[in-house]
Structure formats: C-alpha cells, structure tokens
Amino acid sequence: MTNKILLIEDELDLVEVTRMRLKNSGYEVVSALSGEEAFTFLQKDIPDLILLDLLLPGMQGEEICKKIKCDDRLKTIPVILFTASASDIPKVAKEVGADDYITKPFEPEDLLRKVKKFIG
Amino acid sequence: MEKEKREMVGAGELRRKAEERLKEKPAFPKKLTELEPQKLIQELRVHQIELEMQNEELRRAQAVVEESRAKYSDLYDFAPVGYLTLNRQGIILEANLTACSSLGKERSFLIDINNLFTNFIIKKVEKDLFYQHLGKVFEKKSLETCELELKGKGDTKFYAQLQSIVVKDNLSQCRTAITDITERKKAEAALMETVKAKSAFTSMVSHELRTPLAALKESVSQILEGMLGTINEDQRKILEIAKRNVDRLARLITEVLDFQTLEIGKAVFKMQDNDINEVVEETKETMDIIAKEKGLDFILNLDEVLPKIKFDRDKICQVLSNLINNSIKLTEKGSITISTTKGNNVIQVSVKDTGPGIKKEDMPRLFQQYEQLERKTGGTGLGLAISLEIIKAHGGNIWAESTFGQGTTMHFILPIEERRRRR
C-alpha cells in the first residue's frame, strides 16, 4: 500500500514540485491550501505523514500542529514542519509538538530522508 | 550683655540709641585740664575716620555677599533642570524658575501650602510610584531616581526624571531635580519601532524570498537529476549553473538572517564539550577540494594536548569555514595554515594565508556589517560580522593581523573556563 502524505502549503508552485518529488519516490500526496481545508480532509481520512507550512492564510501552522497533537484520533501522525523562517524553528517545533522540521529552500535528499525516517 | 542689633536703622535713630547707651556709662571721672579737650578731639577725629573706613569696608563686604547671593540665586533659578524642595508629604516648599516653567505655573502658586507635587502627576499608578520614591529618599537618605509623566504648561505633558536627596541640615525636606526626558523617551520609542520594523522586514524577506526559491530549486533539481526524462550534456551544464546560483542566493539569504538573529541576541547556542582540533580537521576536510583547485598548500599545525572546552560546534565550524573560505578566495599562490595553541585560560585558533594582506586603513572596516574589502569575491559582507558575533557570544575574541603585501592571519580565542557572556 502506498504511504499517503498530507501537504499543507499555500504556495501552489511549491505544492506542485514537492508533490512531483514525493510521487517519484513512491508516495501519494494530498494537498491542502489552508488549515481549514486540511481539517476537512482529516475528518474523513488519516494520512501517514503531514508536511506543514507555518505561514498560511487563516489558521497558522503552529495552531494546526497543536490541534492535531491534541486530537486522540490524529496525534500519532508524524508532523514535519515545512517552513521558510529558519531562525528559531527548533524551538517552535518543540513548542507545538512537531516531530521534525525542514527549512525552505530544502535539499531534495533532506526531504526524502526525513520523510523516510517516519514512514519508510 | 547688650543684644547686638543687626537690622539697619536710620541716622537719627542711630544717634538716639548711641546717646541712650552713653547715659549708661559712667560720667567723666575728673575735670579736664586746658590741653586735654584738644587731645580728646584729636583722638575722636581719628576714631571717626577709623569708623568711616570700617563702614566702607563693611559696605564693600556686603556688596560682595549680595552679588554672590544674586549669582547663586540666578544659577538656581535659571538652571537647565527644575529644582523643587519638598517635604515628606510631597508639598512643594521651594521651586526654581525652570521648575515653574516646566510645570507651567507661577512660583507663588507652586509653593502654596496646599500644593502637593502629586497634583502634577497624570497617572494614578505613577502617583503611588512617586510616594514610594519619596519614602525611599527619606528612609535611605541616598540619591533616588524615578521617571514619571507630568502635566506641563496648559494641556501639555512631558516625561520627567526625578532625582531626589534629603537636605543635609533639614532631614524633613528633600531637594528634587526634574529633568525633561521627553526627547529621550521619544528616541527610545523610535528605536524600538525601528528594531521591530527591521525584524518584521527580515521575516518578510525570509518567507517571501525563500519560498519561491524553494520552488525554483526543486524545479531545476528535478530536471537536472533526470527525474522527468533524460537531458543532454548542454542542458545539464546550463541547469547546473542555474542550480549553483539558486544555492548561492539561498546562502546569502541565510547569512542575512543569521546575522539578524545573532545581532538581536536571539540565536540559540548549543554549548557542549568539544575538541577544537577535531572541528578544525573536519572543516579542513570539507574545504580541501577548493584549496587544491587553486593549487594552495593546506597545512595543519595543531597542539595535540588541548583540553575539551564548551562551545557550539556548528557555529564555531561556521566561523572556521568563513575564515578559511576568505583566505582561499583571496590567496592566489602559497599556503593556508591553521594552527591551534593553548594560551592563558584560552584556546587560540589561527588561520594564516599568503594572500595580498590588508591595508592598515582598511583594518577598522574588517568586522563591520555589509563591508567587503574585495568586491570581486561576491558575498554579503557579513561573514566576519557573523563570526565576531558568534565568538563574542562564546566570551572569546577575534582579530586580524596583517602586513599589506605579506598575507593575513586571523586569530580567535575561546575561553577554557566558564566566563562566557549569557545570551
């Protein structure tokens, strides 16, 4: 069975290239452009991993992550923060309960290595 | 004893008093001989002149006192700061003209028996602060300071710094100097705004530049890797140029952000026991290729018995890479030598090159942000500014030694014992 990744990211171009990269490595990618869209998806489906941008329209990434990690049905899904603001990201990741983080622009190997770490 | 009278009296009054005093004295003891009156008159004349001279002297002394009093009164009244004398209840007993003008009131109004200084304090919480200040002044008898917002002339208000101290020969009063610090407060607020704006700008740059860069880098990488189909050699060459420049742009943005984070003291340091020689060797290894490409000798000269010390491995690596990179970029032939030595409670690391060296007049610009002594090397001009911030945060020091035309040695020291500045 193919592993399913939920990519929460509002930059369409980045969604497209990231989807291509992950698809090429054998993952199925579902995307959501906002937190609201993501939770609509999460109500009916459970992905194997979530890649989460922090700066989003409406609900911010930090809040989305906390909400996921508080939800008994969702909290075991690994969340990797996917962000352009690098300076205090390790601290933020810890605070919101994320499992890992990756900064943009990323090295393709880094992205795949971190994804593999959680869902093989 | 007769009481001495100091008040000025009129000439007629003086005569009357003198005659009265004379009556109290015994009369002449004997009849005067023929010559004695003349002698007496002569003596009286001498006395009179003496008295006149004394009088003149007194008048002069009094004039000096008056002049000096007027001078100090002027100094008091027209001092650049307001002066008040207050009692324990905060009632204004005295005020100089500067205080009157700052508070926008006549002196007679200010020193009214019922006029409390707190009437001029705008915020309730600051009235409490003032009473605490006054309490401390009388209790500790030391110079105390507090900052308040006060009512000024008309509807105006101003920020004031109060400095109060108890009057030496009257412990129930204190003297309070009022300095208008509105301009300073405004400047502080403006500075805060600037810092905030700079920080907001940086995060904007961070997100708005890095996100499209990520999409661009991924697009180029995917084609370059052949993920989307085979490409020919020319296509590969051009795409490699694109990727190299995307990476360079990404590095520049990272440097700007790194410096910003260090500068505002927000950088996180992972301080752990580390072997500096190990870090030097590792860093050298990653840079061996570029040194070899330029045909430079890369020499290590390490003190093998250095103790482990606490530092952030990644950040010191960054400093070393930066120093070595600068040396390689600027040195056309010869060598780069990295050495480590133990000094007095410090470990010193030096990177020596046989490059062009630095002119004496350029030295002060070396560690300044956005400065580049050599434009051709292409960078942000932040490398050494970042290195300086990192070394400073470790409680160390970094400096350059150079003779123009004979190469440069960059040194940094890290403390062996814990005496680091907390950040």
Side-chain angles (χ1 to χ4, degrees):
Chain A
M1 209 186 92
T2 336
N3 279 316
K4 194 184 286 177
I5 297 172
L6 171 62
L7 171 61
I8 311 174
E9 166 68 65
D10 64 325
E11 292 278 337
L12 283 171
D13 287 351
L14 197 57
V15 170
E16 219 36 65
V17 289
T18 312
R19 183 206 304 279
M20 193 78 92
R21 169 70 65 188
L22 294 167
K23 208 177 91 187
N24 189 61
S25 291
Y27 300 105
E28 184 191 339
V29 177
V30 190
S31 59
L33 299 179
S34 68
E36 288 73 12
E37 227 175 87
F39 282 107
T40 311
F41 171 81
L42 288 168
Q43 268 172 10
K44 49 183 197 332
D45 206 347
I46 304 275
D48 299 289
L49 182 130
I50 296 172
L51 270 175
L52 171 61
D53 183 22
L54 285 182
L55 208 61
L56 290 165
M59 197 189 286
Q60 295 295 289
E62 289 93 331
E63 202 187 331
I64 297 170
C65 189
K66 280 187 199 162
K67 223 173 142 185
I68 290 169
K69 292 299 177 183
C70 284
D71 190 323
D72 283 337
R73 202 173 59 94
L74 306 173
K75 68 182 178 192
T76 54
I77 309 170
V79 177
I80 300 179
L81 300 184
F82 191 52
T83 174
S85 20
S87 60
D88 50 356
I89 189 66
K91 213 177 108 199
V92 174
K94 215 172 173 183
E95 275 168 15
V96 301
D99 298 270
D100 209 336
Y101 61 86
I102 187 156
T103 51
K104 302 172 199 167
F106 54 90
E107 294 298 330
E109 312 80 83
D110 280 349
L111 175 70
L112 294 174
R113 187 169 45 79
K114 294 206 173 183
V115 168
K116 266 195 196 110
K117 193 169 94 183
F118 295 105
I119 54 173
Chain B
M1 275 282 280
E2 274 274 332
K3 247 200 205 164
E4 270 187 21
K5 306 226 167 162
R6 290 220 177 93
E7 68 266 33
M8 296 290 284
V9 278
E13 176 76 348
L14 199 67
R15 168 107 200 174
R16 190 183 56 76
K17 284 190 175 172
E19 280 172 349
E20 256 174 34
R21 227 186 263 192
L22 194 62
K23 275 184 204 156
E24 292 161 15
K25 305 229 164 162
F28 283 116
K30 57 168 181 161
K31 254 191 161 180
L32 302 176
T33 64
E34 217 168 287
L35 275 174
E36 272 174 330
Q38 277 175 23
K39 212 172 142 195
L40 270 173
I41 287 168
Q42 182 60 25
E43 269 182 29
L44 275 171
R45 274 183 177 160
V46 174
H47 273 303
Q48 193 177 5
I49 292 169
E50 268 180 15
L51 274 172
E52 273 166 12
M53 283 164 74
Q54 274 179 1
N55 249 339
E56 187 55 34
E57 192 65 27
L58 270 174
R59 266 196 294 276
R60 262 204 301 272
Q62 194 171 9
V64 170
V65 170
E66 283 292 322
E67 198 184 313
S68 155
R69 225 180 66 167
K71 194 168 88 188
Y72 282 106
S73 171
D74 274 0
L75 279 177
Y76 172 73
D77 268 337
F78 301 110
V81 290
Y83 286 117
L84 297 177
T85 307
L86 303 172
N87 68 8
R88 282 171 192 268
Q89 287 74 46
I91 289 172
I92 303 168
L93 305 173
E94 285 168 346
N96 73 344
L97 286 180
T98 315
C100 300
S101 124
S102 302
L103 299 170
K105 299 283 179 213
E106 294 287 326
R107 182 149 29 201
S108 55
F109 176 88
L110 273 189
I111 59 175
D112 184 90
I113 188 72
N114 295 315
N115 210 348
L116 285 165
F117 181 69
T118 45
N119 292 339
F120 292 95
I121 301 174
I122 296 163
K123 294 178 197 138
K124 164 90 180 55
V125 38
E126 291 194 338
K127 288 186 188 204
D128 295 343
L129 190 76
F130 168 74
Y131 279 120
Q132 282 169 21
H133 167 76
L134 217 54
K136 256 198 273 176
V137 169
F138 284 108
E139 192 189 320
K140 292 190 179 171
K141 301 194 173 39
S142 54
L143 182 72
E144 298 292 332
T145 307
C146 79
E147 287 179 10
L148 310 164
E149 202 179 2
L150 298 178
K151 284 178 207 162
K153 203 171 281 172
D155 289 334
T156 62
K157 47 190 182 179
F158 66 103
Y159 277 100
Q161 185 195 53
L162 305 190
Q163 283 183 296
S164 309
I165 191 152
V166 169
V167 178
K168 257 192 196 151
D169 34 359
N170 188 347
L171 295 180
S172 63
Q173 294 182 358
C174 77
R175 299 222 197 283
T176 297
I178 305 175
T179 315
D180 187 338
I181 54 165
T182 311
E183 287 306 313
R184 196 190 86 197
K185 285 273 176 189
K186 268 191 206 159
E188 278 171 10
L191 186 67
M192 282 299 290
E193 277 303 308
T194 313
V195 170
K196 257 195 229 162
K198 194 176 162 193
S199 167
F201 174 75
T202 308
S203 31
M204 186 278 282
V205 167
S206 153
H207 197 265
E208 298 307 317
L209 287 182
R210 291 176 138 206
T211 305
L213 212 56
L216 183 58
K217 183 178 158 91
E218 251 317 270
S219 310
V220 174
S221 297
Q222 288 178 14
I223 305 175
L224 190 61
E225 286 168 28
M227 202 177 104
L228 309 169
T230 328
I231 52 168
N232 68 33
E233 214 31 54
D234 284 345
Q235 287 165 340
R236 170 179 310 279
K237 221 182 255 173
I238 295 300
L239 284 171
E240 268 167 0
I241 292 173
K243 185 165 182 293
R244 198 160 56 235
N245 282 280
V246 168
D247 285 342
R248 180 172 157 201
L249 196 52
R251 267 201 312 278
L252 295 184
I253 296 168
T254 305
E255 269 191 20
V256 172
L257 290 175
D258 270 2
F259 181 68
Q260 157 88 7
T261 320
L262 282 162
E263 199 190 20
I264 59 173
K266 268 202 167 173
V268 184
F269 284 82
K270 282 178 272 172
M271 299 301 239
Q272 275 163 347
D273 275 328
N274 280 301
D275 181 346
I276 190 79
N277 286 342
E278 221 177 271
V279 177
V280 169
E281 277 166 0
E282 261 173 39
T283 315
K284 176 190 174 279
E285 240 168 70
T286 61
M287 309 190 88
D288 260 341
I289 304 173
I290 37 173
K292 208 172 270 175
E293 271 172 11
K294 282 191 92 172
L296 300 170
D297 288 328
F298 211 154
I299 306 157
L300 286 190
N301 193 357
L302 307 180
D303 180 344
E304 294 301 334
V305 288
L306 292 177
K308 281 195 170 187
I309 53 168
K310 272 197 169 42
F311 59 84
D312 183 313
R313 196 185 175 94
D314 290 346
K315 294 217 165 55
I316 293 301
C317 235
Q318 193 181 345
V319 174
L320 262 171
S321 309
N322 177 35
L323 297 183
I324 299 170
N325 216 353
N326 283 349
S327 282
I328 294 177
K329 268 197 275 189
L330 293 167
T331 307
E332 291 309 323
K333 58 177 197 244
S335 62
I336 316 283
T337 310
I338 313 173
S339 49
T340 56
T341 48
K342 186 170 174 285
N344 187 17
N345 265 332
V346 292
I347 285 179
Q348 179 167 334
V349 181
S350 309
V351 179
K352 182 174 188 240
D353 65 48
T354 53
I358 304 161
K359 285 184 191 142
K360 212 174 167 188
E361 64 264 30
D362 285 338
M363 281 288 198
R365 287 164 52 209
L366 206 54
F367 291 95
Q368 276 172 25
Q369 45 181 305
Y370 303 110
E371 279 284 1
Q372 288 192 86
L373 301 186
E374 284 283 339
R375 237 337 286 180
K376 65 167 188 183
T377 57
T380 42
L382 278 172
L384 285 180
I386 289 173
S387 301
L388 174 66
E389 290 294 329
I390 292 176
I391 297 296
K392 262 180 9 195
H394 280 81
N397 199 3
I398 182 165
W399 71 99
E401 214 177 288
S402 182
T403 311
F404 189 59
Q406 290 177 28
T408 304
T409 311
M410 299 294 301
H411 307 272
F412 69 85
I413 50 171
L414 294 173
I416 293 178
E417 279 176 1
E418 287 282 331
R419 54 179 172 88
R420 300 193 168 92
R421 188 151 61 99
R422 287 228 161 255
R423 293 194 56 145

